[in-house]
Amino acid sequence: MTRVPSKSEILSWISDNPTKTAKRDIARAFGIKGAARIELKRLLRELQDDGKLTKRRSSYRDTEELPPVAVLQVVGPDENGDLFARPLEWKGQGAEPRILMMLRDSDPALGEGDRILARLTVDATEDHSHTGRMIRRIGTNPRRILGVYRAGSEGGRVMPIDKGSDKQWTVAAGATGGAKDGELVEAEQAGPKGRMGLPKARIIARLGDPTEPRAVSLIAIHQHGIPDHFPDEVIAEADAAKPAGLKGRKDLRDLPLVTIDPSDARDHDDACYVEAHDDGTFTIWVAIADVAHYVCPNSALDREARKRGNSTYFPDRVVPMLPDRLSGDLCSLHEGVERACIAVAMKIDGSGNKIGHEFHRGLMKSVASLNYEEVQQAVDGRPNAKTAPLMDDIIQPLYAAYAALKKARAARQPLELDLPERQIKLNDDGKVTSVAEKERLDAHRLIEEFMVLANVAAAEILIAKKSPLLFRVHEEPSPEKLDALREVAQASGLVLAKGQVLKTAHLNRLLTGAADTENQELINMATLRSMTQAYYSPDNFGHFGLALRAYAHFTSPIRRYADLIVHRALIAVYGWDDDGLSPWDIEHLQATAKQISDTERRSMLAERDTTDRYLAAFLADRVGAELTGRISGIAKFGLFVKLDETGADAMVPLRTLGNEYWGYDADSQTLMGSDSGLVIGLGQRATVKLAKAAPVTGGLIVELLEVDGKTLPKGPARGRGKPVRRRAGSARKKAAATARKVKRRRK
């Protein structure tokens, strides 16, 4: 007779084999066949009733887990000198996990009883279940300093790199961290400043040559004034936060919500699940981290989040809007962990039209943290151990609902720009190893469509309830920019109709006409240049690019302050609690809109500067090499070429263009040689030689060799280009003549 394992043996098997937890896997592991399967099923049900297991459709999971980020208490070293810690928020019934701390040289000394925030990795051995990497000690928040180290006879000093700052810090001989004279370093304040002398610091990280790639993002952070240090009172509020309970919330823990994010994501602020109905309709659940529960109006956390406006992302680091206790822990929808959320259930018909929605303040538990690539591979027929059990009940319904939403999108006709996004990949030393085009998968588009639908639902319900809120506004292009786009289109043999109310459908027809032709990138770039910049406003002017009458950001409150305002508005109109939109929030809504619109642009500039510097460093050893690209900008001082390999924009100064004068036509965005008659315009193919790459500034200077296969005239420059002057009323004729000339020359 087949022996049925004990409950403890079953739990031990599930713990050791987390990817093989289906009933058939357990039966196969213990050799259970025939009638014994009934007894196994009974044992699994009893374990589930006892709270020892939770069932995920056809698989079982041990409830006694820790989140990826947790608060720990140091319990001291063992006889071998290894340091261990215990979780402070353990709720399991089994033995408390024992965590081996893996300390770095830069980590401060820890003693028994210290409370720390740590990142955890499952690593079960005989003496521990996890390993931990320290993030910081709870309750301590030393000031961070970025500067250049200058060695002295005993210790040295840290000299500031901030513009306008002359404050220096002294470093004791034993606190230099091995830094060498002239190195860029990151230091932290070492004790209180005395009544006399310079403040003291200790070096915690050596960043090497200030011109090296590892220093790039830190310099951008300081140059653009992005706050990267949380005040003590903000850290204290975050550290005092406790996980939310079920009181006053809808219990969504049995809803099999999943998060789908990039493979390297550290926080998860949105989760989704789809119910497919027999009548062809779908209910799409989107659950968003309930940041408003932890960040209350006018708290220290709230004031700091509003000041930052958003998180800022660099290739090697993130400057978060919220402290890591919240952004990486309590607000992050980690797998298998109960988390507070605000969820919306949206019903759509078979054509993707939303026919109803309902918001809830709930408590959820994600059944899986997935990444885009593995979800796409599963749908394409290559599921892994994690996605295989989720295919029928979770992943396939997600894609079925997405197929319906695509129909609604096609009818709505949002702007369909095709602009490849490049991703900079770094090695452990912070140097660029490759610049690759980001792959756009249906898994990405699926999540984007779900989030757009949820953002629309939030805007609609708040409008219906006449609540103040912040809209995401994108206004239509100005007439001047549209005229410039029409000239570029005409020069490419395409038409953008005039004399009618502009819709995104008109622009999409233009983009479709250029698709798969030599002018595809030109038309996409010119269309992008014609667009206005999106911003936040308490007034609703619609979202032109998405072709939506009303749009608000609701789905990313961990990284955007605008979403937090929308969450508070929902809390207020539904009367869920007293942490909704405050009178101060409402009174200062216009100022908040301007503040976070400005911080968004600040982050964009810092991210762009950082990317430029990384790309310049990547190309620095290729000076003299010939590169190909496409002309992406024209100005009276020169032109810009977007390089094929990296997507970097390199400048060609006008003075290097040879032995003739160049006429600059701002309307048609062209340069014309006075002697050769050569016309240089947007979108033309170009071959260039790299003349200079400056990592410190991010500048790339190139020499233009060929345009559309035509060699540039040689010889010394005779002078700068001159703008083309026109008589009144001649602009249209001149533009048409230039367009005909460009077209003839391309033939």
Side-chain angles (χ1 to χ4, degrees), residues 498-728:
K498 194 174 183 179
Q500 56 184 309
V501 176
L502 181 73
K503 296 182 179 179
T504 47
H506 301 139
L507 296 174
N508 285 338
R509 280 198 289 272
L510 175 63
L511 294 167
T512 301
D516 300 322
T517 72
E518 63 176 6
N519 297 314
Q520 178 174 349
E521 191 168 351
L522 163 66
I523 296 300
N524 273 272
M525 286 192 300
T527 303
L528 178 64
R529 287 173 183 271
S530 72
M531 293 295 108
T532 60
Q533 192 166 25
Y535 61 96
Y536 294 104
S537 172
D539 301 312
N540 181 23
F541 300 114
H543 198 293
F544 176 78
L546 290 174
L548 293 169
R549 289 192 296 270
Y551 193 64
H553 275 163
F554 158 74
T555 55
S556 295
I558 290 178
R559 63 184 180 90
R560 290 188 308 222
Y561 192 79
D563 304 58
L564 177 57
I565 291 292
V566 170
H567 279 223
R568 287 179 183 164
L570 290 168
I571 292 167
V573 299
Y574 281 104
W576 287 326
D577 211 330
D578 59 0
D579 52 353
L581 210 58
S582 70
W584 192 96
D585 285 333
I586 297 171
E587 181 183 351
H588 293 83
L589 212 53
Q590 184 67 59
T592 298
K594 184 181 186 309
Q595 161 72 10
I596 62 178
S597 295
D598 289 345
T599 60
E600 180 183 46
R601 292 188 180 93
R602 177 181 67 185
S603 293
M604 290 172 59
L605 288 172
E607 291 165 4
R608 186 188 307 159
D609 285 353
T610 300
T611 298
D612 289 346
R613 288 188 174 100
Y614 273 122
L615 292 176
F618 182 58
L619 294 169
D621 60 355
R622 296 174 64 181
V623 171
E626 289 191 9
L627 306 169
T628 60
R630 195 177 287 274
I631 294 172
S632 59
I634 302 285
K636 60 184 178 182
F637 56 81
L639 56 98
F640 293 90
V641 177
K642 185 175 287 293
L643 303 178
D644 292 333
E645 181 184 354
T646 62
D649 283 309
M651 190 178 81
V652 181
L654 200 65
R655 65 179 182 273
T656 67
L657 283 182
N659 61 346
E660 59 183 324
Y661 289 101
W662 292 86
Y664 168 61
D665 190 324
D667 290 337
S668 62
Q669 286 289 286
T670 59
L671 289 169
M672 182 183 295
S674 59
D675 298 334
S676 66
L678 180 64
V679 176
I680 300 176
L682 293 175
Q684 290 176 313
R685 297 294 306 166
T687 302
V688 299
K689 183 168 72 173
L690 183 60
K692 181 180 180 182
V696 174
T697 63
L700 293 173
I701 304 296
V702 293
E703 178 188 345
L704 189 62
L705 303 179
E706 291 183 357
V707 177
D708 274 351
K710 298 181 180 67
T711 303
L712 206 69
K714 300 290 184 181
R718 276 172 40 190
R720 296 179 62 84
K722 295 182 179 179
V724 174
R725 295 181 179 177
R726 298 175 175 168
R727 295 189 302 272

Side-chain angles (χ1 to χ4, degrees), residues 242-253 255 257 285-297 331 333 339-345 358-365 554 557 563-581:
K242 303 294 182 185
L246 187 58
K247 183 179 179 181
R249 297 179 177 275
K250 185 178 181 65
D251 192 346
L252 301 175
R253 289 174 294 180
L255 204 65
L257 291 152
W285 283 87
V286 171
I288 307 298
D290 188 359
V291 175
H293 174 79
Y294 301 99
V295 183
C296 297
C331 294
L333 309 180
R339 286 290 180 255
C341 68
I342 294 180
V344 56
E358 187 176 8
F359 284 86
H360 307 277
R361 200 175 200 184
L363 189 69
M364 60 160 285
K365 183 189 288 187
F554 158 74
D563 304 58
L564 177 57
I565 291 292
V566 170
H567 279 223
R568 287 179 183 164
L570 290 168
I571 292 167
V573 299
Y574 281 104
W576 287 326
D577 211 330
D578 59 0
D579 52 353
L581 210 58

Side-chain angles (χ1 to χ4, degrees), residues 49-116:
D49 293 341
D50 293 341
K52 299 294 181 60
L53 289 180
T54 178
K55 187 174 182 181
R56 283 192 193 169
R57 300 300 181 183
S58 59
S59 64
Y60 294 83
R61 180 188 179 90
D62 192 343
T63 58
E64 308 201 348
E65 296 181 344
L66 289 174
V69 176
V71 176
L72 311 178
Q73 185 175 47
V74 177
V75 297
D78 63 3
E79 62 275 8
N80 298 318
D82 291 329
L83 194 67
F84 287 88
R86 56 178 287 271
L88 282 180
E89 297 171 5
W90 174 246
K91 295 181 180 179
Q93 300 297 316
E96 185 178 76
R98 196 162 185 250
I99 300 155
L100 173 64
M101 294 305 302
M102 309 293 287
L103 297 180
R104 296 171 285 257
D105 292 341
S106 60
D107 289 336
L110 295 176
E112 187 172 353
D114 283 346
R115 294 169 66 239
I116 60 174

Side-chain angles (χ1 to χ4, degrees), residues 340-362:
C341 68
I342 294 180
V344 56
M346 300 168 288
K347 192 166 185 179
I348 64 170
D349 61 24
S351 298
N353 301 303
K354 182 165 63 65
I355 54 179
H357 57 255
E358 187 176 8
F359 284 86
H360 307 277
R361 200 175 200 184

